[in-house]
């Protein structure tokens, strides 16, 4: 009975899908390849060469409106073209910071269940171990078990110890930065005298090729991994975990010089222009209003001419990093076309969280070291010995439709671009306003690969995924992913939120207080400006009860 139900469901999802690349596969054979079950009810793989490849592209700290296809002025022709072939999502949610988002991506689960309750915290407390735990089955581990090559290049940030290396969690080949940040041109560290960034390749200590730019080198590595095993015709899962455009803002001048003078009007001007462009593109409601700026943002006109000059240069370099990112994604996509794999590949592009508002050059805990080894002089901005970030002002310009930015549980911290394209994606050049989250990617990949998430993994029980497959939406069978009763909740560093339907509660108080939650109707107020807890008390109480249930489920705690 279970087999018949699965076959019926998949037929409804794929009956309009385009044929998968290498050859036109008769539909009955496709069903057999995807869902043939053995007597134990576990999926097995047959004719693996006919299953689609999966390419997941992750930008680091990219803002909602940075891409051309999301209303931005930065030159991103490759991603804009990808959007023409696929679907742009306007309601895609991540965690507020890098590590919890990446844990959710690779497990389809809540960051506490996965073990990354709080970034940069490793304690012997459920949910805050600082690495992916054995409470979950990692996505690459499952895919490798069921016949996929699994490759990764870029930022790991999910456990620095050897036993938590990507090599031990399912990645067949990997070249990774273990920490959450690194110099884009060398291995110089930021957080202590003589510190260095740490890299591994296939679980073994490796080095950074001096002078190579991060996005270029990660792309080289990933392409090399794909080419090395092409002959066996097995499908691949490739995870490009780029570190751009994460601070420090660094890039070759040939990219940043394209934008010379384009931001001299200031961050408030850019914010208003992008806000208008988002409306014109249909990416935010026409009745949306510009949210209030973060209180730390000074008016542009209050800056001195020298300050304005440096601020403009920050954004020029940031734009160059995004430009270079688009160029390297183009290298990957062109290569897939050259080797005949593009038409057989599902491509998912996301950012791991909202635009970054940090300014660590001025952080009193880090500044003594950073100031001794790096500089923020105008003449060298963007070079290897320069340490700058664009901070709250430009982060607000990158997320103009939403409140605040990275770290916050407000929409500006957790709503990011997502583009999905590939042979099974119907309705090219379309916009989806359906609620989706980063936890939905893993179940989508597993379903498309013809496998399922297990109840046990390597002899131990695992928590079920909290995400749901996007495949019904991608193939045109549905216009939504989750029912209106679906609950999405987050906690990170005591910033919290819970959303059910178009209603959301948020607390950005520290220490966390349950009484600090505000209530917002996102259907009318995506910028989260109007607290309705006094106007809609029954809805407020309903969501507080949901919060209690979520807290119990993930065993929420606040260790320090």
């Amino acid at each position: 009975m279970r087999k018949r139900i699965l076959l019926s469901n998949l037929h409804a999802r794929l009956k309009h899908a385009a044929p998968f690349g290498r050859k036109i596969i008769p539909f009955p054979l496709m069903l057999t390849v995807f869902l043939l079950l053995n007597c134990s009810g576990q999926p097995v793989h047959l004719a693996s060469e006919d299953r689609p490849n999966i390419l997941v592209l992750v930008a680091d700290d990219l803002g909602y409106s940075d891409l051309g296809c999301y209303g931005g002025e930065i030159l991103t022709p490759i991603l804009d073209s990808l959007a023409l072939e696929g679907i742009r999502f306007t309601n895609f949610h991540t965690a507020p910071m890098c590590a919890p988002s990446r844990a959710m991506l690779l497990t389809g689960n809540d960051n506490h269940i996965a073990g990354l309750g709080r970034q940069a915290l490793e304690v012997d407390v459920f949910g805050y171990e600082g690495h992916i735990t054995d409470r979950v089955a990692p996505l690459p581990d499952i895919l490798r078990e069921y016949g996929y090559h699994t490759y990764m290049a870029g930022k790991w940030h999910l456990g620095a110890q050897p036993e938590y290396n990507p090599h031990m969690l399912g990645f067949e080949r990997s070249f990774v930065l273990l920490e959450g940040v690194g110099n884009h041109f060398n291995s110089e560290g930021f957080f202590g005298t003589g510190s260095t960034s740490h890299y591994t390749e296939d679980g073994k200590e490796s080095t950074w090729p001096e002078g190579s730019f991060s996005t270029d080198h990660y792309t080289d590595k990933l392409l090399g991994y794909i080419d090395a095993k092409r002959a066996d015709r097995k499908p691949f899962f490739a995870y490009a975990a780029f570190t751009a455009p994460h601070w420090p803002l660094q890039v070759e001048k040939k990219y940043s010089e394209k934008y010379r003078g384009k931001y001299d009007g200031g961050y408030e001007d850019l914010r208003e222009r992008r806000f208008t462009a988002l409306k014109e593109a249909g990416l935010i409601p026409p009745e949306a209003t510009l949210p209030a700026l973060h209180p730390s943002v000074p008016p542009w006109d209050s800056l001195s001419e020298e300050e304005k000059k440096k601020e403009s240069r920050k954004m020029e370099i940031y734009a160059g990093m995004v430009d270079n990112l688009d160029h390297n994604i183009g290298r990957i996509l062109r290569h897939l076309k050259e080797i005949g794999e593009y038409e057989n590949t599902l491509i998912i592009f996301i950012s791991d969280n909202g635009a970054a508002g940090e300014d660590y050059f001025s952080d009193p805990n880090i500044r003594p070291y950073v100031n001794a080894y790096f500089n923020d002089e105008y003449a060298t901005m963007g070079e290897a010995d320069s340490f700058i970030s664009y901070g709250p002002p430009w982060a607000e310009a990158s997320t103009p439709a939403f409140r605040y930015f990275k770290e916050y549980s407000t929409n500006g911290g957790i709503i990011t671009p997502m583009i999905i394209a590939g042979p099974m994606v119907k309705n090219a050049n379309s916009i989806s306003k359906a609620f989706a989250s980063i936890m939905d990617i893993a179940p989508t990949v597993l379903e498309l690969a013809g496998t399922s998430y297990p109840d046990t993994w390597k002899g131990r029980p695992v928590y079920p995924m909290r995400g749901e497959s996007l495949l019904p939406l991608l193939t045109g069978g549905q216009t939504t992913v989750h029912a209106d009763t679906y609950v999405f909740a987050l906690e990170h560093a005591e910033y919290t939120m819970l959303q059910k339907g178009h209603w959301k509660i948020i607390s950005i108080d520290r220490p966390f207080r349950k009484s600090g939650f505000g209530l917002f109707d996102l259907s009318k107020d995506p910028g989260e400006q109007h607290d309705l807890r006094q106007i809609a008390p029954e809805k407020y109480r309903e969501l507080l009860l949901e919060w209690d249930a979520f807290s119990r489920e993930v065993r929420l705690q606040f260790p320090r």
Side-chain angles (χ1 to χ4, degrees):
M1 175 62 73
R2 180 174 181 269
K3 179 178 178 180
R4 287 199 298 271
I5 292 172
L6 288 170
L7 294 177
S8 175
N9 288 346
L10 189 62
H11 183 272
R13 298 179 183 190
L14 294 178
K15 64 182 179 180
H16 299 300
F20 288 166
R22 301 184 183 93
K23 57 188 177 184
I24 297 176
I25 306 171
F27 189 75
L29 175 58
M30 189 187 302
L31 292 177
T32 302
V33 170
F34 272 53
L35 288 169
L36 186 65
L37 302 176
N38 63 19
C39 59
S40 68
Q42 292 294 315
V44 298
H45 66 277
L46 293 178
S48 62
E49 69 275 10
D50 292 327
R51 292 187 292 170
N53 307 309
I54 312 292
L55 173 64
V56 177
L57 306 160
V58 179
D60 200 347
D61 293 356
L62 183 81
Y64 184 75
S65 67
D66 286 334
L67 305 181
C69 56
Y70 276 84
E73 74 297 326
I74 301 174
L75 300 175
T76 55
I78 301 301
L79 287 166
D80 296 350
S81 296
L82 192 68
L84 291 175
E85 298 177 17
I87 301 173
R88 282 172 290 169
F89 288 75
T90 66
N91 202 12
F92 171 69
H93 294 67
T94 66
M97 291 192 76
C98 311
S101 279
R102 291 157 196 268
M104 294 162 77
L105 169 68
L106 293 179
T107 68
N109 220 312
D110 174 78
N111 56 304
H112 301 84
I113 300 299
L116 275 294
R118 181 165 182 171
Q119 185 164 300
L121 179 67
E122 298 181 20
V123 293
D124 188 20
V125 176
F126 182 102
Y128 301 86
E129 294 90 344
H131 59 82
I132 293 181
T133 70
D134 61 7
R135 292 188 292 270
V136 294
L139 174 64
D141 215 11
I142 301 172
L143 291 173
R144 189 175 183 184
E145 181 76 13
Y146 288 107
Y148 269 72
H149 288 304
T150 52
Y151 309 133
M152 177 186 176
K155 182 163 98 174
W156 179 235
H157 209 195
L158 297 175
Q161 296 85 355
E163 62 267 33
Y164 309 127
N165 190 274
H167 181 67
M168 301 297 292
L169 294 175
F171 281 105
E172 177 184 347
R173 301 297 315 274
S174 62
F175 179 88
V176 297
L177 167 67
L178 295 178
E179 293 89 1
V181 60
N183 193 302
H184 292 283
F185 286 108
N186 57 46
S187 58
E188 183 73 46
F190 301 127
F191 302 115
T193 302
S195 68
T196 61
S197 298
H198 297 92
Y199 297 88
T200 63
E201 185 161 26
D202 303 336
K204 299 177 182 178
E205 184 176 344
S206 188
T207 57
W208 186 260
E210 193 78 14
S212 294
F213 184 67
S214 63
T215 313
D216 300 340
H217 188 59
Y218 293 138
T219 300
D220 291 343
K221 282 292 183 181
L222 201 65
L223 293 179
Y225 295 155
I226 290 171
D227 280 352
K229 293 292 183 74
R230 279 179 55 203
D232 66 10
R233 306 292 291 167
K234 289 171 61 174
F236 63 77
F237 170 74
Y239 173 36
F242 295 113
T243 54
H246 194 292
W247 52 266
L249 303 184
Q250 298 170 333
V251 75
E252 290 181 89
K253 284 188 177 180
K254 68 179 181 180
Y255 291 100
S256 61
E257 288 300 309
K258 294 182 186 180
Y259 301 92
R260 179 71 73 171
K262 290 189 179 294
Y263 301 105
D264 289 352
Y267 37 75
E268 290 160 323
D269 173 69
L270 178 64
R271 184 172 184 250
E272 291 174 1
R273 287 191 284 114
R274 287 196 180 180
F275 185 72
T276 299
L278 286 168
K279 281 189 176 183
E280 291 174 348
L283 296 167
I284 58 174
E287 66 274 13
T289 57
L290 201 61
L293 283 166
H294 191 276
S296 66
V297 177
W300 180 257
D301 289 343
S302 71
L303 304 183
S304 69
E305 290 305 309
E306 184 63 24
E307 289 171 330
K308 289 179 180 178
K309 182 180 177 181
K310 290 185 71 173
E311 285 293 328
S312 297
R313 187 61 184 149
K314 289 179 182 180
M315 191 60 201
E316 292 166 6
I317 297 165
Y318 177 89
M321 294 178 77
V322 177
D323 190 313
N324 171 269
L325 176 69
D326 186 78
H327 165 74
N328 276 287
I329 290 173
R331 290 178 58 204
I332 298 173
L333 301 188
R334 283 192 298 273
H335 189 71
L336 293 182
K337 291 175 181 177
E338 290 168 0
I339 64 175
E341 294 292 348
Y342 185 81
E343 294 300 328
N344 194 46
T345 303
L346 179 73
I347 303 162
I348 302 173
F349 172 86
I350 65 169
S351 176
D352 63 349
N353 46 244
E358 302 107 326
D359 180 11
Y360 282 116
F361 192 81
S362 303
D363 187 300
N365 297 315
I366 300 172
R367 183 170 183 168
Y369 172 77
V370 171
N371 281 215
Y373 286 84
F374 298 91
N375 70 80
D376 68 344
E377 298 299 323
Y378 182 82
T380 59
M381 287 173 73
E383 297 178 6
D385 59 353
S386 170
F387 190 107
I388 55 171
S389 52
Y390 71 176
W394 295 110
E396 286 278 41
S398 288
T399 55
F402 306 124
R403 182 182 172 201
Y404 301 164
F405 35 79
K406 176 184 174 182
E407 295 193 34
Y408 289 97
S409 52
T410 54
N411 277 349
I414 63 175
I415 292 184
T416 79
M418 178 166 72
I419 303 169
I420 302 183
M424 65 297 299
V425 176
K426 188 176 171 64
N427 300 323
N429 191 26
S430 63
I431 295 171
S432 174
K433 299 178 181 179
F435 180 93
S437 89
I438 197 166
M439 294 186 295
D440 298 328
I441 291 175
T444 304
V445 170
L446 289 177
E447 181 171 9
L448 195 59
T451 73
S452 59
Y453 192 77
D455 297 323
T456 62
W457 190 248
K458 296 185 177 178
R460 63 182 187 274
V462 290
Y463 277 73
M465 286 183 169
R466 296 177 64 87
E468 297 182 26
S469 175
L470 298 164
L471 200 57
L473 185 150
L474 300 181
T475 58
Q478 295 176 194
T479 58
T480 60
V481 179
H482 301 283
D484 287 341
T485 55
Y486 178 76
V487 172
F488 175 75
L490 283 171
E491 182 275 334
H492 182 263
E494 300 184 58
Y495 287 164
T496 57
M497 60 77 64
L498 181 144
Q499 186 171 337
K500 184 178 183 180
H502 59 82
W503 290 95
K504 179 180 177 181
I505 52 173
I506 311 167
S507 173
I508 52 175
D509 291 340
R510 286 176 172 165
F512 169 74
R513 297 176 298 110
K514 185 177 171 182
S515 61
F517 274 118
L519 175 69
F520 302 90
D521 180 355
L522 300 180
S523 67
K524 301 175 182 177
D525 182 24
E528 302 164 337
Q529 298 297 291
H530 307 290
D531 186 352
L532 302 178
R533 66 179 122 177
Q534 301 299 326
I535 297 172
E538 291 186 6
K539 180 59 66 174
Y540 186 62
R541 286 192 290 271
E542 176 190 338
L543 268 60
L544 289 180
L545 289 174
E546 296 283 11
W547 175 257
D548 291 339
F550 168 76
S551 299
R552 289 191 297 271
E553 183 178 351
V554 304
R555 295 171 59 177
L556 189 62
Q557 302 171 68
F558 301 106
R560 290 179 174 82

